[in-house]
Amino acid sequence: MNNVDTAGADAGPLTVPIWDLPVRLFHWSLVASVATSWATAELGWMGIHFLSGYTILILLLFRLGWGIVGSHPARFASFIKGPRAALDHLRELRLPPDQAPPVLGHNPLGGWMVVTLLLVLLIQAGTGLFTSDDIMVDGPLVDYVSSAVVKSLSTVHRLLFKLLFALAAIHVGVVAAYLMVRRENLIRPMITGRKAIPAGMPVEAPRTSGLLSAAAVFALAVTLVVLLLRTA
Ligand code: HEM
């Protein structure tokens, strides 16, 4: 951490940078791509479904890389915590909002939800590459595995979407509950990048990684997916 910011008592609400531009672009592009994948599967527009699936794969590979070299709050090491931290956070939720310590990043419970969402999305996008409807539409890698494997992975791809839908609904529900019950707006930081902290509270602005690093990680993610598809 660097750039010590201190919220002065009469300085009004102070905001600190939490989510860097790459994380915000990742999140909202992911939301748009997941919605597109769902809609195009329903409508049978498989060309666009494939494109949104590849986009999700690129976004996920980017996020995995950014979770290692990205800004401090984006790093897995900063938000994957053990069960004790998760229980402590549950206890803190019983405190009035103005007495609970502010969380700059994913809280320990939210961190596990993020990991779960990323894993399920990765399996969903990965199995799509090996999915076939047995009639007209084949994922790009179906020829590399046996028909029994294609059958199993196609089933996983179809069923897992229901789990993904449930997880996304819980995720959005929890974000809405923070807003309505605890008056804590988690959505604004995911749009503006900055989070308001209580006046008078000393905090350190998180260490950030540059956009050039993000561009390099993104280029690597695109290259990996292009290479994967070229082998098909
Ligand atoms: C309009 C609906 C949505 C809203 C308002 C929303 C809002 C948010 C917010 C506020 C956070 C940060 C939570 C925190 O402060 O810890 C977040 C993180 C996240 N959301 Fe959503 N979300 C939405 C839909 C989705 C969907 C559909 C998915 C995927 C299926 C998703 C996946 C994620 C992931 C993976 C993160 C972690 C971001 C990161 O660390 O890179 N979200 N979301």
Side-chain angles (χ1 to χ4, degrees):
M1 303 244 186
N2 55 9
N3 304 334
V4 179
D5 282 322
T6 307
D10 47 275
L14 183 101
T15 61
V16 285
I18 302 294
W19 303 122
D20 56 20
L21 186 63
V23 166
R24 286 176 281 147
L25 285 177
F26 159 78
H27 181 266
W28 298 114
S29 309
L30 182 69
V31 174
S33 305
V34 168
T36 304
S37 290
W38 168 75
T40 50
E42 291 291 310
L43 294 165
W45 296 354
M46 297 317 283
I48 303 177
H49 186 76
F50 276 34
L51 286 180
S52 63
Y54 302 149
T55 307
I56 291 174
L57 215 46
I58 291 170
L59 289 171
L60 291 172
L61 290 178
F62 164 77
R63 187 61 184 92
L64 292 181
W66 202 238
I68 297 166
V69 301
S71 302
H72 186 263
R75 292 195 183 192
F76 297 121
S78 81
F79 66 80
I80 299 183
K81 306 260 166 68
R84 179 182 290 264
L87 284 176
D88 286 348
H89 181 71
L90 269 183
R91 259 181 240 118
E92 282 163 14
L93 283 179
R94 281 196 249 136
L95 295 171
D98 55 341
Q99 286 174 27
V103 181
L104 302 181
H106 297 304
N107 69 54
L109 281 176
W112 282 109
M113 185 56 161
V114 170
V115 172
T116 308
L117 274 168
L118 293 178
L119 264 180
V120 171
L121 281 161
L122 202 58
I123 300 172
Q124 181 70 17
T127 52
L129 300 171
F130 300 92
T131 291
S132 164
D133 67 354
D134 284 337
I135 311 167
M136 283 166 63
V137 188
D138 283 344
L141 301 184
V142 289
D143 291 339
Y144 289 83
V145 291
S146 68
S147 57
V149 172
V150 168
K151 209 169 166 180
S152 308
L153 295 182
S154 305
T155 306
V156 172
H157 189 69
R158 276 181 209 109
L159 292 182
L160 203 65
F161 185 76
K162 295 183 201 301
L163 175 66
L164 182 60
F165 190 81
L167 289 172
I170 293 171
H171 166 64
V172 176
V174 169
V175 169
Y178 267 85
L179 182 63
M180 288 187 287
V181 180
R182 294 192 62 79
R183 305 271 164 232
E184 185 174 350
N185 190 337
L186 301 175
I187 304 171
R188 195 181 300 129
M190 206 30 111
I191 296 170
T192 65
R194 302 186 72 89
K195 177 166 181 164
I197 53 149
M201 183 160 288
V203 286
E204 291 178 38
R207 188 169 22 82
T208 53
S209 300
L211 288 182
L212 216 57
S213 318
V217 177
F218 188 74
L220 184 64
V222 173
T223 308
L224 286 175
V225 172
V226 169
L227 285 178
L228 187 75
L229 296 177
R230 278 229 178 144
T231 61

